[in-house]
C-alpha cells in the first residue's frame, strides 16, 4: 500500500510550469539537487566535448531556455565530492546534527499531523 501511495504522490507532482514531473531513481542524486532561484531539479547529462566524455548535471530550466536560468553546469565529480564533504561534516558533528535532525522532525511531524507528534514522542521514550 505504501508503494502505491508513493507512486500516486510522485505522479501528482508538478513543476514550476504546471507540467507533470518525472521521477527517475537511476542515479543517487536524481530528483535531489535543485536550483534555488527557479526551483527546478538538475538533470544528469552525458557531454562529449572534443572526444572527452564527461557526466554533468544541469538545471532543467536552463536546458529548456538558457535566458531564463543562470545556473551553472556541475560536474558529477564535483557533486560527489560535495556530498562526501557534507556527510563527513555531519558525522564529525553528530551530536549537533542529531539535535537539529530531531528538532526538524518534530516540526515536520507536528505540521503534518499535530496529534501524531505526541504519540511518536511516547514511542521514542519507550525505545
Amino acid at each position: 500500500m505504501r508503494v502505491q501511495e508513493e507512486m500516486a504522490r510522485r505522479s501528482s507532482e508538478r513543476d514550476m510550469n504546471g507540467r507533470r514531473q518525472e521521477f527517475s531513481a537511476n542515479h543517487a542524486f536524481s530528483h535531489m539537487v535543485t536550483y534555488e532561484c527557479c526551483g527546478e531539479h538538475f538533470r544528469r547529462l552525458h557531454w562529449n566535448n572534443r572526444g572527452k566524455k564527461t557526466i554533468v548535471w544541469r538545471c532543467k530550466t536552463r536546458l529548456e531556455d538558457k535566458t531564463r536560468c543562470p545556473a551553472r553546469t556541475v560536474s558529477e565529480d564535483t557533486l560527489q565530492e560535495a556530498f562526501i564533504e557534507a556527510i563527513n561534516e555531519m558525522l564529525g558533528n553528530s551530536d549537533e546534527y542529531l539535535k537539529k535532525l530531531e528538532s526538524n522532525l518534530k516540526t515536520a511531524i507536528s505540521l503534518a499531523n499535530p496529534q501524531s507528534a505526541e504519540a511518536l514522542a511516547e514511542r521514542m521514550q519507550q525505545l
Side-chain angles (χ1 to χ4, degrees):
M1 294 296 290
R2 288 188 177 154
V3 171
Q4 294 298 320
E5 290 172 4
E6 180 65 12
M7 289 173 64
R9 183 189 69 80
R10 289 180 183 178
S11 69
S12 67
E13 289 183 350
R14 304 286 175 202
D15 66 7
M16 300 297 283
N17 297 319
R19 293 177 301 209
R20 184 178 166 276
Q21 284 191 337
E22 296 175 13
F23 185 83
S24 170
N26 294 336
H27 306 285
F29 299 114
S30 293
H31 218 69
M32 289 181 61
V33 181
T34 58
Y35 187 55
E36 165 180 314
C37 293
C38 64
E40 288 290 349
H41 296 288
F42 274 58
R43 288 191 171 173
R44 188 174 191 253
L45 301 171
H46 292 261
W47 272 7
N48 187 3
N49 188 8
R50 296 186 185 112
K52 183 181 178 197
K53 296 180 181 180
T54 55
I55 297 173
V56 296
W57 290 76
R58 298 192 79 190
C59 179
K60 182 180 172 185
T61 303
R62 182 158 177 90
L63 289 172
E64 294 170 356
D65 183 5
K66 290 182 181 181
T67 62
R68 289 182 33 220
C69 183
R72 307 247 352 217
T73 301
V74 179
S75 74
E76 189 165 61
D77 294 336
T78 303
L79 193 57
Q80 289 173 351
E81 288 172 13
F83 177 76
I84 290 170
E85 189 175 309
I87 291 293
N88 287 338
E89 183 179 324
M90 181 183 72
L91 293 175
N93 301 325
S94 61
D95 292 338
E96 184 179 320
Y97 170 75
L98 289 175
K99 289 176 188 175
K100 287 180 183 179
L101 178 63
E102 186 176 355
S103 172
N104 289 342
L105 285 172
K106 284 180 182 178
T107 303
I109 291 169
S110 65
L111 289 175
N113 186 357
Q115 295 173 346
S116 68
E118 291 90 26
L120 183 61
E122 289 177 22
R123 181 68 178 141
M124 287 176 67
Q125 288 297 328
Q126 290 173 356
L127 295 173

